[in-house]
Amino acid sequence: MHQPNSEDNINPLDRRAFCVGAMSLVALGTTACGGGGGGGGTAGGLGALGSAPQADASAVAAATAPAAVPDAQAVTDAAPPAPQARKFAHPGLLHTEADFERMRLKVAANAQPWLAGWNALISNGRSQLGATPRPLATVIRGGDGQNFAQMYIDIARSYQLALRWKVSGDTRYADLAVVFLNAWSSTLTSIEGNADRFLAAGIYGQQFANAAEIMRSYPGWAASDLARFQNMMLTVFYPLNHSFLVNHNGAEITNYWANWDQCAMGSILAIGVLCDRQDIYDEALNYYRNGAGNGAGLQAVYHVHPGYLGQWQESGRDQGHCTLGIGLAGAFCEMAWNQGDDIYGYENNRFLAGAEYVAKSNLRDGAGNFYTVPFLTSANRQGTKTVLSTSGLGHQRGIWESVYNHYANRLGIATPYTALQAAQMRPESDGSNGDQLGFGTLTYARDPIATAVRPSGLTARVHGSQVELSWWGCTGALSYSVKRATVAGGPYATVATGITDTLTFTDTAVAPGVVYHYAVVALTAAGEGDPSDEARAPIKAELLMQLGFSETQNAADYPDLPVGLLKNVADFTIACRVYLDEIATWSRVFDFGSGERRYMMLTPRSNAGTVRYAISPVHGYNMQMIEGSSPLPTGRWVHVAVTLSGTLGTLYIDGAVAGSNAQMTFAPCELGETTQNFLGRSQYPNDPPLRGRLDDFRVYQGALSAAEISLLA
């Protein structure tokens, strides 16, 4: 299939009311097989790790081209004034007033680990009185004349001085923080350099906004000075952030690794709050959920393995960038949380799955060897990675406290490897490299959750003749047991015990035609806890949807199907009757996805000249296919069906097998909550519409047998 060459044009509307006009809904069900929910230069921290990826000559030329024209244009159309309906909480980025009160009380009581975190802060050279700001009119990162360390050091001073004021109450630190903020807002006019200028605008934009957000409540910071600082964020930092997410520096969208998108999103989110701009804030949230770049939520955690180990997008590249990505994404999630938006929980805690994977990858076991983790071949514009990268293996970065404390101590969700990373880095400092603000032990540590907890997020996915279970553990659990029933709600029989790591179980003792119901319980020091929510797993095909259509309406004009139609479905069947008036290469019978970034589709004729089913979780890379031997015929009704059972994918034409692939490891549930589920048209806007009609369109959870397909045909 052709490679993508343009941005997503994602329709955010949830078209659940789609039975209109000439299309009639015969049956619609919602049962599914699962439940539950940088831097460059000598002083730049990561050095070469943060530099632009190497690409072909055109991409490199784009990456090093002067910034003036595209970025100046972005200033004019990136941030139009918009009426505001939302009232933001202040301070409300990485820290709230409740957080500061907790820090004050814990430090005053000499409680650990807060006291150790406080001592790390007050012993840091950048948190001391007596320093003088060194503002620049032009900051350069990447290429000749780099001076960006001068900015990130002053940002670190501003933030650390602000923290010292909020915890100690000593206004000398507040007064000096204001001096630093005012010096930069009255001097800085541009951020320049090669592609690394986008890293500077992203990483340091988010950090600068956080320092200012803390200080906005200080009576000694004049309103006019705050306004000037906000203007600097809107006119210097935001245009570069916005430009990168929209244009990716003129490169193919997967040319840039996850951390590039993530720092831009973090800066945009922070600027939106600091400047009380809901439109800007919403831009960041929408990109995280629906964006096409490698840093958006579903791409950053490239693949979730059984037991919720989420392979990070840069895990095949190097471990320094993986930990950078966790730090950037963790900050994004925390800032959104403090404004009431739960990105931490997005797609069944997908970020935690990524954090646990990166944490485990970089830890040693009891024998002193690095833990092994599963790895799915990953591919993008930079090439194909087949194994976990050992570059920087064991990388340590002080970014784990926020992740650990949110999931374990706010929610009671077990984070075994993240917890080990947090413990070995405690107390966190700032790392001295400008990549993160740091001091998470002081700012994020929380007392353990006091309420009773239980396993959560249980999914039960049917793959052929077995059921694969995964779940999130709970703090305080010693082990887990899996219980199974053939009636919803029980009675249950225990089918597995003593599960400790990884939290997954494959039930192979299942019978055809039976519907199973699963729950997981934790064994704690106090005994067996409450069961998880129940997950349903039918060992048979069940009709989810059946649609009939008018014989006069063209398929390309059919309304979209519901968002998330196959979100939790592994084995499946999609079948329908197709009448082609004429055939065009890359037209679609169906195409379920989220724009060009991820999709599953059936085309009557591919570029190979044959009917093809294909599924891809990332921009056409790693695409898996079932290829027929010829295109679909025109001028008559044809019955077409696609099934997946385990890893066996089968394509049927008029009831007969037309193609198969026994290595289909991608199921619909790999695509997440697809937002564009089309009949008769493609995720790619330049592909032609289907010239013909559809009828008796059916979607099943589970694979129909060849005999059952024959009866439909």
Side-chain angles (χ1 to χ4, degrees), residues 542-577:
E542 293 185 334
L543 184 66
L544 299 180
M545 172 184 290
Q546 183 176 0
L547 304 174
F549 304 91
S550 164
E551 291 192 0
T552 61
Q553 186 180 16
N554 192 288
D557 297 325
Y558 295 156
D560 301 350
L561 303 188
V563 167
L565 177 63
L566 296 174
K567 180 177 180 179
N568 288 312
V569 173
D571 286 4
F572 75 93
T573 300
I574 298 178
C576 70
R577 299 174 67 231

Side-chain angles (χ1 to χ4, degrees), residues 170-184:
D170 189 334
T171 58
R172 294 178 300 165
Y173 296 96
D175 291 335
L176 187 54
V178 166
V179 169
F180 275 84
L181 297 175
N182 286 346
W184 279 89

Side-chain angles (χ1 to χ4, degrees), residues 533-674:
D533 288 341
E534 191 176 77
R536 183 177 183 274
I539 315 301
K540 60 180 180 179
E542 293 185 334
L543 184 66
L544 299 180
M545 172 184 290
Q546 183 176 0
L547 304 174
F549 304 91
S550 164
E551 291 192 0
T552 61
Q553 186 180 16
N554 192 288
D557 297 325
Y558 295 156
D560 301 350
L561 303 188
V563 167
L565 177 63
L566 296 174
K567 180 177 180 179
N568 288 312
V569 173
D571 286 4
F572 75 93
T573 300
I574 298 178
C576 70
R577 299 174 67 231
V578 183
Y579 189 103
L580 294 178
D581 297 313
E582 56 183 286
I583 194 168
T585 300
W586 293 130
S587 62
R588 300 288 198 274
V589 175
F590 65 83
D591 194 334
F592 300 162
S594 298
E596 298 168 22
R597 62 180 183 157
R598 50 189 64 236
Y599 52 83
M600 54 183 287
M601 64 85 176
L602 180 66
T603 178
R605 185 174 67 193
S606 71
N607 60 342
T610 61
V611 58
R612 175 189 293 176
Y613 166 79
I615 182 171
S616 176
V618 183
H619 287 276
Y621 295 100
N622 281 7
M623 186 165 63
Q624 297 178 350
M625 300 177 291
I626 310 171
E627 200 86 70
S629 58
S630 62
L632 288 185
T634 60
R636 68 176 180 88
W637 284 102
V638 182
H639 189 267
V640 183
V642 180
T643 68
L644 179 68
S645 177
T647 61
L648 177 61
T650 308
L651 174 66
Y652 297 87
I653 305 296
D654 287 331
V657 174
S660 65
N661 183 345
Q663 304 298 321
M664 298 289 290
T665 58
F666 294 149
C669 54
E670 302 283 344
L671 304 180
E673 188 171 68
T674 54

Side-chain angles (χ1 to χ4, degrees), residues 305-320:
H305 298 273
Y308 299 151
L309 282 175
Q311 183 173 318
W312 198 252
Q313 193 267 338
E314 304 191 60
S315 288
R317 182 190 185 193
D318 65 72
Q319 299 309 310

